[in-house]
Amino acid sequence: MCNILVTQNYNLLLSKGLGRRKDSQPEETMAKERSKLLEEINKIFAENQDSKNEELMFTYRGVLYPSRLCSAKTFEALEGMEARKEDVLVATYPKCGTNWALQILNDILAAHYEDFQMPLTIPMLEFGAPEKFQQIKDQPSPRLFSTHLHYDNIPKSFIENKVKILVIFRNPKDAAVSYYHFYNKHPLLPTSSSWDDFFQKFMSGEVGWKSYFDHALVWDKHMDEVNVKIMTFEELKENLHEGVKQIADFYDFPLPEEKIQSIAEKATFQTMKSEAPQKIGAFAPVVFRKGVVGDWKTLFTEAQSQEMDAKFEECLAGTKLGTKLKYDKYCKF
Ligand SMILES: Nc1ncnc2c1ncn2[C@@H]1O[C@H](COP(=O)(O)OS(=O)(=O)O)[C@@H](OP(=O)(O)O)[C@H]1O
């Protein structure tokens, strides 16, 4: 039961359009595929509303993952994936801005390569059936991928082939609150009995993809590498135009000001949220919730806030990433 989606529906989703070029299929066929894809997404949503918590997660090498999206076989196949230097990878801890970065990168790539087409699905490396790697192998460059994997679990070839990795982090309090709502709204993730329960799990790393702090600590060590660019959700929120420019420059795709402006306009929360139902159907309100900084204040108690402050101090205070996260500005009552 647990792998039905991985081997059937999700494999079908992943076989559509990932990195396809405009000239590879006529527009009419693409439109049909798009509507079939929407049907599939909505079906996954409807069929899994009553799933039992204990069926929804599994552990692979000590890390929890959603069992209907990931499988041991896919992880094994992923290890052998051959990355190309021209690949584009977005690496994030869950809820830190994956979809946002993907939207921006899609538009940057589309501006640079006339024949680049928006992928029809989230190109998450660890999702889907192992057979997808054969299709990925046949895709033309540049291929756009995302992952929530810890740095140590990203396939070695991405590092060896010096693939440029855009890493987005978000302040841990907002990431925790966003993750909590995601757990409770996403039919393929367990429902949390309460915020207090989820908070303790988040703090101890008993959530999908493990601990936020482990991810942050390892990325801090790679922050100065030329192929790594770390940005924060908060800096994109503060100045999206500048964020788009920095991402385009990092990938050596310099763009004229008007283009940067139009990409930034398409990447606002309001625009992405309003376009999401056509792209991801029933999942739209699950992914695009509030899109703000500081929502943690609606759920954190004073004691929880202090517990997170102490953990941040212990793990990240004084590190480069810790400083970049501007904890005092975004995470204090
Ligand atoms: N354009 C834009 N502007 C501002 N905020 C945005 C944008 N796009 C997505 N979001 C918010 O990002 C949160 C989802 O993060 P991810 O995309 O990383 O989610 S996922 O882990 O891939 O499921 C989730 O945050 P919360 O609203 O706090 O839950 C989304 O609303």
Side-chain angles (χ1 to χ4, degrees):
M1 174 64 188
C2 85
N3 281 334
I4 285 178
L5 280 162
V6 169
T7 51
Q8 293 175 3
N9 305 30
Y10 213 82
N11 189 33
L12 182 78
L13 299 189
L14 282 154
S15 70
K16 314 273 179 206
L18 264 179
R20 290 259 178 83
R21 302 316 186 94
K22 277 175 190 159
D23 59 359
S24 66
Q25 290 195 65
E27 202 40 53
E28 205 182 315
T29 318
M30 289 299 288
K32 264 194 207 146
E33 285 202 356
R34 231 172 259 131
S35 84
K36 211 161 135 194
L37 173 69
L38 265 188
E39 261 173 45
E40 285 296 332
I41 291 176
N42 290 337
K43 203 166 134 202
I44 291 173
F45 199 92
E47 281 176 356
N48 287 278
Q49 285 299 337
D50 301 321
S51 302
K52 296 199 175 58
N53 274 0
E54 54 278 16
E55 290 173 358
L56 291 173
M57 301 299 274
F58 78 111
T59 303
Y60 182 75
R61 297 196 177 156
V63 183
L64 279 173
Y65 297 102
S67 54
R68 302 209 172 153
L69 297 171
C70 306
S71 71
K73 284 201 162 65
T74 298
F75 281 120
E76 282 155 21
L78 180 59
E79 280 172 27
M81 179 182 166
E82 239 344 278
R84 303 178 195 145
K85 190 166 175 25
E86 322 80 67
D87 287 338
V88 173
L89 179 64
V90 175
T92 51
Y93 185 76
K95 313 320 294 173
C96 287
T98 328
N99 288 280
W100 200 1
L102 283 170
Q103 162 75 28
I104 294 169
L105 276 164
N106 265 312
D107 282 357
I108 290 174
L109 290 168
H112 198 76
Y113 297 93
E114 224 177 79
D115 58 350
F116 184 83
Q117 185 166 39
M118 287 276 282
L120 288 180
T121 56
I122 297 172
M124 191 68 74
L125 284 177
E126 59 269 33
F127 285 0
E131 295 78 34
K132 75 174 190 169
F133 294 107
Q134 191 51 48
Q135 294 149 10
I136 283 175
K137 208 169 159 188
D138 296 338
Q139 284 164 12
S141 294
R143 303 176 299 181
L144 175 57
F145 300 114
S146 59
T147 187
H148 292 324
L149 291 175
H150 184 276
Y151 179 90
D152 293 344
N153 297 326
I154 291 175
K156 296 284 162 285
S157 64
F158 278 87
I159 314 298
E160 286 159 8
N161 294 332
K162 301 193 174 13
V163 174
K164 286 192 182 173
I165 308 178
L166 173 65
V167 183
I168 311 286
F169 261 96
R170 185 178 191 179
N171 80 69
K173 290 184 179 175
D174 278 337
V177 166
S178 178
Y179 211 177
Y180 167 65
H181 289 294
F182 196 61
Y183 253 62
N184 283 350
K185 285 184 183 176
H186 200 306
L188 306 184
L189 290 176
T191 304
S192 215
S193 59
S194 66
W195 157 247
D196 291 350
D197 179 56
F198 184 85
F199 173 76
Q200 286 312 328
K201 289 199 163 94
F202 184 90
M203 295 304 285
S204 58
E206 290 166 76
V207 290
W209 288 272
K210 226 175 171 181
S211 158
Y212 169 98
F213 291 96
D214 286 354
H215 283 246
L217 271 170
V218 75
W219 277 116
D220 177 66
K221 296 194 173 53
H222 296 279
M223 207 157 155
D224 292 333
E225 289 171 12
V226 283
N227 297 316
V228 171
K229 178 159 182 72
I230 301 191
M231 297 187 78
T232 64
F233 185 99
E234 293 76 18
E235 73 180 298
L236 288 175
K237 203 70 195 167
E238 271 179 19
N239 191 341
L240 189 49
H241 183 100
E242 175 58 24
V244 172
K245 186 177 175 331
Q246 283 193 27
I247 295 171
D249 289 347
F250 171 61
Y251 281 99
D252 289 325
F253 297 143
L255 296 171
E257 278 300 305
E258 324 77 76
K259 197 70 211 172
I260 292 172
Q261 189 55 28
S262 73
I263 292 174
E265 278 163 15
K266 279 179 71 185
T268 62
F269 180 73
Q270 289 70 19
T271 306
M272 284 183 68
K273 188 180 169 81
S274 69
E275 290 179 356
Q278 294 102 279
K279 293 178 181 165
I280 52 171
F283 280 98
V286 178
V287 177
F288 298 95
R289 195 182 58 92
K290 286 193 179 171
V292 297
V293 177
D295 193 43
W296 61 271
K297 291 178 186 160
T298 60
L299 286 179
F300 270 72
T301 63
E302 187 67 48
Q304 287 165 342
S305 181
Q306 283 174 11
E307 192 179 332
M308 180 74 91
D309 295 351
K311 180 89 176 169
F312 188 89
E313 186 66 28
E314 175 200 327
C315 297
L316 288 165
T319 64
K320 278 192 181 153
L321 180 54
T323 306
K324 191 168 175 60
L325 282 165
K326 297 189 181 162
Y327 191 84
D328 284 349
K329 178 171 178 183
Y330 296 115
C331 288
K332 292 285 166 76
F333 270 117

